[in-house]
Amino acid sequence: MDSQIYGVRKLIPVVFLLLLIGLSLSAAALQEKPKRSSSSSSSLSTNQINSNSVLVALLDSHYTELAELVEKALLLPTLEAAVSRHNLTIFAPRNEALERELDPEFKRFLLEPGNLKSLQQLILFHIIPNRIRSNDLTSSTADPVRHETLCSEHVHISGKSSGPVMVDLAKVIRPDDVIRLDGVIHGIERLLVPRLVEEDFNRRRNLQSTTAVHPEGAPEVDPRTNRLKKPAQPVPIGAPPVLPVFDALAPGPSLAPAPAPGPGGPQHHFDGESQVKDFIQTLLHYGGYNELADILVNLTSLATEMGHLVSEGYVLTVLAPNDEAMAKLTTDQLSEPGAPEQIIYYHIIPEYQTEESMYNSVRRFGKVRYDTLRLPHKVVAEEADGSVKFGQGDGSAYLFDPDIYTDGRISVQGIDGVLFPVEDSKPPASKVVPPPANTVNKPRRGKLLQVACRMLGVFGKDSQFSSCH
């Protein structure tokens, strides 16, 4: 009995040691279990796309334009996450549809950095998070099948086995073009545009096409009637200006053109510079008018000013003196400041006249006075020997080379003399004022005094009062 008790006491430490070892092993197993689960989850999260994926096939396929848009839209991480979750069906437009047939303005809109979200929605609209093979594209009914895309909008697939398959408005031209384990690519004829992207493009295009509002002054009130003045009627394009040509010239020794309410401006309905250049070239090729061309181009800025006037819608007639007439000018006539400009201004008429119109005018009216750009002087034209003579007296000139240049805006008529305005050298006749006569100012009588003197005259007593005389 004592030996049995002694044996049991000897086994107690051994059993206790075994229990401790078992508890330590179970604790280690419990600690190891979450580590394995976390490592397995991390391995799933870091699962990268293999080389056999449909996404890699899209980037390496012949749909290079779509692949380039995917890279520019920064959608590779989004598509990799979508491929890791489910199969994909990609409708890829052919390269010609994106390169040549796409509206250039719409393509420029997609590639602008501020429209990245619209580009991403456009690309995701071509991807369905389901696997749809070619035999699934056709259906026995005529009703289209609605599928949700990665951009949360829907596309409608319709088609029968005998006819073409349509994805919205695009025709499927290459079904099952690329097939992989995680997706399939179908080639379509044109680009699919979601409704939100189309609305965003139209809204931005309308904002860009809207021009700035021209500032308008406050309404003017007529001080006589205290009513608003009616605004001036708009000048139609191509019509002559409302104001005379003198209002388009700024005052000063060098006459510079000022803005005029004509058809000119940034639209350039009339190219006055080219027209002036053409008529100067015509003078040089015609021969005998080199001196005038030299003054217009080299000595003054008249050619530029004439070009601006014609661009503003004005018409001009140039009476061009020939070289023989210009050679008769003396040094005194050209030495004064601004003398060449003043001479040429007197030879420019702000009207469009030809030989026929001027000759008909002088035959009908005898003498015609034309305005010139040298205010306030006018040039007189009259008929002489079957031609038109300008000026009076010794300073007259005849129409020598008619219609050298006529283009509807500028008319050049050659004359054989240099014209100068007739200035009044006679002093004004002074009026002879007669000397004042010696008159006696009588006092002025009022009405009451006149009545009183008349009554006194009846009784013969008016002689006694000096005021009544």
Side-chain angles (χ1 to χ4, degrees):
M1 187 66 181
D2 295 335
S3 62
Q4 293 178 354
I5 294 172
Y6 177 76
V8 171
R9 289 178 179 177
K10 193 173 181 180
L11 289 173
I12 288 175
V14 177
V15 174
F16 183 72
L17 182 61
L18 292 175
L19 289 174
L20 290 177
I21 293 173
L23 291 174
S24 63
L25 290 175
S26 62
L30 290 175
Q31 290 179 358
E32 215 171 26
K33 198 169 185 180
K35 288 182 180 180
R36 290 178 181 176
S37 61
S38 63
S39 64
S40 61
S41 63
S42 64
S43 64
L44 289 176
S45 63
T46 58
N47 187 20
Q48 295 182 353
I49 305 300
N50 55 25
S51 60
N52 201 27
S53 173
V54 68
L55 182 58
V56 178
L58 173 64
L59 299 178
D60 294 339
S61 65
H62 55 270
Y63 301 106
T64 55
E65 293 291 330
L66 180 62
E68 185 178 355
L69 289 181
V70 171
E71 295 179 355
K72 290 182 178 179
L74 307 178
L75 282 178
L76 290 178
T78 304
L79 296 180
E80 288 176 359
V83 167
S84 64
R85 288 194 297 269
H86 30 242
N87 277 266
L88 299 180
T89 299
I90 302 175
F91 295 101
R94 56 193 179 94
N95 287 337
E96 290 79 5
L98 295 176
E99 188 176 6
R100 299 185 184 92
E101 300 175 5
L102 190 62
D103 183 10
E105 190 175 354
F106 181 66
K107 188 173 184 179
R108 185 165 54 250
F109 161 78
L110 294 175
L111 298 180
E112 289 180 358
N115 303 325
L116 180 62
K117 187 176 180 180
S118 298
L119 178 60
Q120 292 177 346
Q121 289 182 345
L122 179 78
I123 295 175
L124 296 179
F125 188 65
H126 293 74
I127 303 175
I128 298 176
N130 291 317
R131 187 181 184 88
I132 303 176
R133 295 289 299 271
S134 60
N135 52 1
D136 299 329
L137 295 175
T138 59
S139 61
S140 58
T141 61
D143 297 333
V145 182
R146 193 163 175 259
H147 295 275
E148 185 178 2
T149 62
L150 288 182
C151 72
S152 301
E153 291 198 30
H154 295 79
V155 294
H156 299 81
I157 301 177
S158 60
K160 293 184 178 181
S161 57
S162 59
V165 178
M166 302 296 295
V167 181
D168 281 349
L169 299 178
K171 179 181 177 182
V172 179
I173 55 177
R174 303 184 69 169
D176 293 343
D177 192 14
V178 178
I179 300 175
R180 294 293 185 267
L181 294 177
D182 53 359
V184 60
I185 299 177
H186 303 289
I188 58 177
E189 187 179 16
R190 53 181 295 183
L191 184 71
L192 302 176
V193 182
R195 179 178 53 85
L196 293 178
V197 175
E198 187 174 359
E199 291 177 355
D200 190 16
F201 169 65
N202 292 331
R203 183 168 57 252
R204 291 178 182 268
R205 180 172 57 181
N206 292 336
L207 290 177
Q208 290 177 356
S209 62
T210 303
T211 57
V213 178
H214 294 285
E216 296 182 359
E220 298 182 5
V221 179
D222 192 347
R224 298 175 297 174
T225 60
N226 292 328
R227 294 181 180 179
L228 294 177
K229 290 184 178 180
K230 294 183 179 180
Q233 295 295 330
V235 179
I237 296 176
V242 176
L243 298 179
V245 68
F246 310 106
D247 293 339
L249 298 173
S254 176
L255 296 179
Q267 290 81 16
H268 295 292
H269 299 293
F270 300 117
D271 190 1
E273 287 79 4
S274 298
Q275 290 177 275
V276 172
K277 183 178 179 181
D278 290 342
F279 103 75
I280 294 177
Q281 291 289 337
T282 304
L283 284 179
L284 295 176
H285 291 297
Y286 192 87
Y289 294 90
N290 296 331
E291 295 293 333
L292 177 63
D294 188 47
I295 290 178
L296 289 175
V297 176
N298 298 325
L299 299 183
T300 64
S301 60
L302 293 178
T304 304
E305 295 172 4
M306 292 172 63
H308 288 315
L309 287 175
V310 176
S311 297
E312 293 294 339
Y314 297 99
V315 293
L316 301 174
T317 298
V318 181
L319 303 178
N322 55 17
D323 290 344
E324 294 180 6
M326 297 293 289
K328 297 178 182 178
L329 292 176
T330 61
T331 306
D332 296 336
Q333 293 173 331
L334 297 173
S335 60
E336 296 182 5
E341 289 90 344
Q342 296 300 322
I343 293 175
I344 302 301
Y345 282 140
Y346 189 64
H347 290 74
I348 299 177
I349 300 173
E351 301 176 18
Y352 186 77
Q353 298 289 341
T354 61
E355 179 201 14
E356 182 180 2
S357 63
M358 289 190 293
Y359 185 71
N360 291 336
S361 298
V362 296
R363 286 204 59 182
R364 181 177 181 183
F365 301 106
K367 285 187 178 182
V368 180
R369 295 178 177 270
Y370 292 107
D371 291 327
T372 64
L373 292 188
R374 184 174 177 180
L375 287 176
H377 301 288
K378 297 184 178 184
V379 62
V380 180
E382 58 183 342
E383 182 188 4
D385 300 331
S387 180
V388 182
K389 184 178 77 170
F390 300 95
Q392 296 175 351
D394 297 335
S396 60
Y398 286 86
L399 184 58
F400 187 70
D401 290 321
D403 297 340
I404 296 177
Y405 180 86
T406 53
D407 64 352
R409 311 297 304 175
I410 301 176
S411 172
V412 181
Q413 307 293 328
I415 59 178
D416 60 353
V418 180
L419 302 176
F420 289 94
V422 178
E423 300 181 3
D424 266 342
S425 58
K426 299 178 181 180
S430 58
K431 295 182 180 180
V432 179
V433 180
N438 295 328
T439 58
V440 178
N441 294 329
K442 293 184 178 181
R444 188 176 180 182
R445 298 179 293 181
K447 289 287 185 182
L448 184 59
L449 185 58
Q450 289 179 6
V451 174
C453 290
R454 193 178 300 117
M455 291 178 65
L456 290 173
V458 174
F459 296 101
K461 301 292 185 181
D462 55 343
S463 60
Q464 299 178 4
F465 296 94
S466 60
S467 300
C468 294
H469 296 289

